[in-house]
Structures are given as C-alpha cells and as structure tokens.
Amino acid sequence: MSMIRDLRAAVRPALRRPRATSNYDTTRDPSVSSAVIDCAVYREGRRVSDHCSPAEAMKRVRAEGGFAWIGLHEPTEREFAGIAQEFGLHPLAVEDAVQAHQRPKLERYDDSLFTVFKTIHYVEHAELTATSEVVETGEVMCFTGRNFIVTVRHGGQGSLRALRHRLQEDPELLAKGPSAVLHAIADQVVDGYLAVADAVQDDIDEVEIDVFSAASSRRGGDAGRIYQLKREVLEFKRAVSPLLRPMQLLSERPMRVVDPDIQKYFRDVADHLARVNEQVLAFDDLLNSILQANLAQATVAQNEDMRKITSWAAIFAVPTMIAGIYGMNFDYMPELRWKFGYPAVLVVTVAICVTIHRGFKRNGWL
C-alpha cells in the first residue's frame, strides 16, 4: 500500500498548486483588476489579443466578432462590479460568484448561463489518521454568454491556466465558442473527481485491511480514522451529487448559448460524473459497513475481556471462600486440630482452582 501511495505522489505532483498570479502588470494598466488572471479575445479559435482589460476585450468582440474569455481569482465585490456591468451579469449570480461556498448548480439568466462547479483535490498523506485531511474543495463559476465566458475561481486548487493553453492548441474546438470552454472546464473538473475517487479508494482499502487484520481485531480497530474518512467522503459527495442534474440539462436540453456540436460532448461528461457518483455512494455504504464491523469487533473484544475477568473471579472465589470459612472463630470446626489440616486445605484449594481453570480453558473463556 505504501508503494502505491508513493507512486501516486510521484505521478500527481501537480495537484498541489500555489495561489494563481495574474498575467497583468496592474501598475501599467490600472483599469485591469488585480483579480483578473487572464483576459483575451478569441476569433476562429485563435487568440487575437493580449494584455487588454475586460472592457477593451468586449469592445473588440462587438466590433470584430469572436468571444472574450476573462479569468478571475477570488474577486471582491468592488473588483467584480465593473465586469458584471460590462457583461450584463445578473445581480443574483454576481452575488453568488463573489461570496463563494455555493452548491453546484446551473442557472439561466436571459441569454447567459451561470454554472457552479466544486473542484476536489486529494491531499497526499503518509498515513491516514483521525485528523487527516483527505480532500480539499474549491469552486469554479462560469458565466457563459453568446460572445463571452467569465470564469471565477475560489480556492488554491483548480487552476484553469493549463486548460486555457491546451484549448489554444486546438483552434478547431475553440472555434465553437464559449460553450467549448464551458465543456472543457466541466470535463477537467469531472476528470479530477475520477482521480480523487481512485485515491480515496486506496485509503478505504487500507482502512478495511486494517480493521479486519488480526492485530486490529485484538485492539478493536480505530473508529476515529473511519469517521474522518467518512466525513471526507461526505464532502466529496456534496461536490458530485448536485452536479448530476446540471450536466444532464447541458447534455439533453437545447440552449442558445451552447453549440449543438458541443452539447454531444457534455453527454460524455455526464456519463463520467454518473460513474463517479456511483463510486462515492458505494464508498459511503462501504464505510458504514466497515464502521459497523469495527464496532462489532470492539464489542466482541469487550465480551472476551469480560469472560476472562469473570473466569479469574470464579477461580479466586474458591480460595476466598475456603479461607473465609476457616477464618471464623469457632472451636468445633472439622479438622481444625488435625496435624495435616492446613496442607490438606491448600491441596484441595489448588485442585479445585486447577479444575475450574481447565474447564474455562476448554470452553474458550481463558
């Protein structure tokens, strides 16, 4: 298991990413918000502008065609106000994008879509403990219109920079417009779910092996680790399950801002998401079973301890009873004046104790 964990840590070092930095020199262009990571205009699938403000990007789009892609990271209400006004974003969606901590969802406002994705990052750890953090969550929110897409990211994970570069290398796909970017983001998020699900499966396997091992059976296992893993799986479930309906809508229901050719690709994302959801539900059920088995083992271990204590108490009751009888101050007691009375009582006491001990041993109590 440690070999698998080491291999996973080696092949997925990029999962831990530093906080994103802006591509812009805001001192050179004060009109660009410090929350803007990247802003560009795309025409026929190719990037045709660099280092422009969102207002300049939309001005070029309206005049020359194409679409604008603006990426932001944790903008404040003040930083986002100008962009929201420029693109005509609905105030309710803007409020959700600024405050974050939203449930995955899909909302339609006139000619735009507002989509919320929960990103999941697996936290590498040498050993799973009762306080280990297994998954970290973030958010990616997308405002998708006919000629623009605005992405708002919260959290240190889920960077879209590599995705942007990958799309720029496929002009034919990027020429499909903002819906192609929305699909690529959804696909990246769900692929991240698949990777995390595989890693969590390793942790569950490790806990399961430990619970049913002989050493764990003797000590009653570690319910704290199981509870912690169950809490992390619940966090995973909160990211995956609510996204099922939005993906179904994007893959099945015609929408004006979604290219029909791109809509077919959403079906593949929806299928992958459904598979992950089934895995997460199975994780939850499996952890319930492991927890019940762990508690049952603890109960069995306690019963075994009680049987041992009871057995030894029964054995020690014999000499205690005999000593108590002969400790009474009576003159006329059987064999009280006999020369061999004391050793005879000791022999009888030991014989009775040995007999009782053998009986308990034979019955599995000792």
Side-chain angles (χ1 to χ4, degrees):
M1 187 64 65
S2 60
M3 183 183 297
I4 295 176
R5 193 178 304 282
D6 293 341
L7 179 60
R8 188 172 64 239
V11 299
R12 290 209 309 275
L15 285 177
R16 299 191 178 195
R17 301 180 185 273
R19 177 182 171 87
T21 56
S22 175
N23 290 340
Y24 296 99
D25 182 1
T26 55
T27 59
R28 181 180 58 82
D29 186 0
S31 64
V32 177
S33 167
S34 61
V36 176
I37 303 301
D38 201 353
C39 177
V41 174
Y42 296 89
R43 191 176 303 114
E44 296 181 355
R46 301 188 182 278
R47 184 167 180 149
V48 295
S49 70
D50 280 314
H51 304 297
C52 62
S53 68
E56 293 171 346
M58 279 307 296
K59 184 178 179 179
R60 294 192 61 173
V61 167
R62 294 187 182 107
E64 304 172 8
F67 73 93
W69 180 0
I70 296 90
L72 301 98
H73 182 249
E74 297 183 354
T76 63
E77 185 176 355
R78 182 177 178 180
E79 290 173 328
F80 200 37
I83 296 175
Q85 183 177 3
E86 180 67 36
F87 291 93
L89 307 180
H90 196 280
L92 292 177
V94 171
E95 181 181 359
D96 289 345
V98 172
Q99 293 181 354
H101 305 295
Q102 302 298 315
R103 188 173 184 267
K105 59 184 177 180
L106 171 66
E107 295 178 347
R108 286 187 288 182
Y109 296 100
D110 299 328
D111 289 334
S112 66
L113 295 177
F114 176 58
T115 316
V116 178
F117 300 97
K118 282 276 191 182
T119 58
I120 297 291
H121 164 65
Y122 179 77
V123 180
E124 298 288 347
H125 43 266
E127 181 181 359
L128 181 67
T129 66
T131 58
S132 294
E133 186 178 15
V134 179
V135 296
E136 288 179 346
T137 61
E139 292 177 55
V140 175
M141 305 176 183
C142 302
F143 295 88
T144 310
R146 289 181 177 273
N147 54 6
F148 69 87
I149 180 166
V150 179
T151 58
V152 182
R153 186 166 61 86
H154 290 269
Q157 310 301 327
S159 174
L160 302 178
R161 181 171 299 175
L163 175 65
R164 186 188 287 261
H165 292 163
R166 189 166 64 250
L167 284 174
Q168 289 174 172
E169 294 174 357
D170 189 357
E172 184 177 352
L173 178 61
L174 199 55
K176 299 294 183 180
S179 59
V181 179
L182 180 62
H183 163 264
I185 293 172
D187 189 51
Q188 176 173 287
V189 170
V190 174
D191 285 346
Y193 293 165
L194 290 169
V196 172
D198 291 340
V200 171
Q201 179 69 67
D202 291 341
D203 284 333
I204 294 177
D205 291 343
E206 180 180 335
V207 169
E208 186 177 19
I209 291 172
D210 183 68
V211 166
F212 290 101
S213 67
S216 176
S217 299
R218 289 194 295 270
R219 69 173 186 268
D222 188 355
R225 294 196 306 158
I226 304 174
Y227 272 118
Q228 178 65 15
L229 192 54
K230 187 171 175 60
R231 287 173 61 89
E232 298 298 312
V233 168
L234 179 60
E235 188 73 19
F236 195 3
K237 183 178 178 181
R238 288 172 181 167
V240 174
S241 296
L243 193 58
L244 286 171
R245 182 58 180 166
M247 287 298 101
Q248 290 176 353
L249 292 176
L250 286 171
S251 63
E252 297 173 359
R253 184 172 298 179
M255 298 182 184
R256 284 177 288 184
V257 299
V258 178
D259 188 285
D261 293 334
I262 295 298
Q263 191 169 35
K264 301 174 184 178
Y265 290 95
F266 277 109
R267 297 173 189 169
D268 183 62
V269 177
D271 288 342
H272 290 174
L273 184 64
R275 192 180 81 184
V276 175
N277 186 62
E278 291 174 357
Q279 283 184 282
V280 173
L281 294 178
F283 291 162
D284 196 30
D285 292 340
L286 182 57
L287 284 171
N288 285 334
S289 300
I290 293 174
L291 181 60
Q292 291 175 359
N294 177 260
L295 296 177
Q297 287 181 340
T299 301
V300 169
Q302 290 176 353
N303 289 339
E304 290 179 352
D305 293 339
M306 289 302 300
R307 287 195 301 180
K308 291 179 180 179
I309 293 172
T310 303
S311 299
W312 284 111
I315 292 172
F316 283 112
V318 173
T320 301
M321 180 187 67
I322 295 176
I325 292 174
Y326 278 91
M328 293 186 293
N329 296 320
F330 292 102
D331 290 334
Y332 302 102
M333 294 183 66
E335 315 300 339
L336 190 62
R337 304 296 178 183
W338 185 36
K339 179 179 179 181
F340 300 103
Y342 178 71
V345 169
L346 292 180
V347 171
V348 171
T349 301
V350 171
I352 295 174
C353 290
V354 170
T355 302
I356 295 175
H357 182 275
R358 291 184 62 185
F360 283 134
K361 195 79 171 178
R362 185 168 53 249
N363 293 325
W365 282 51
L366 288 174

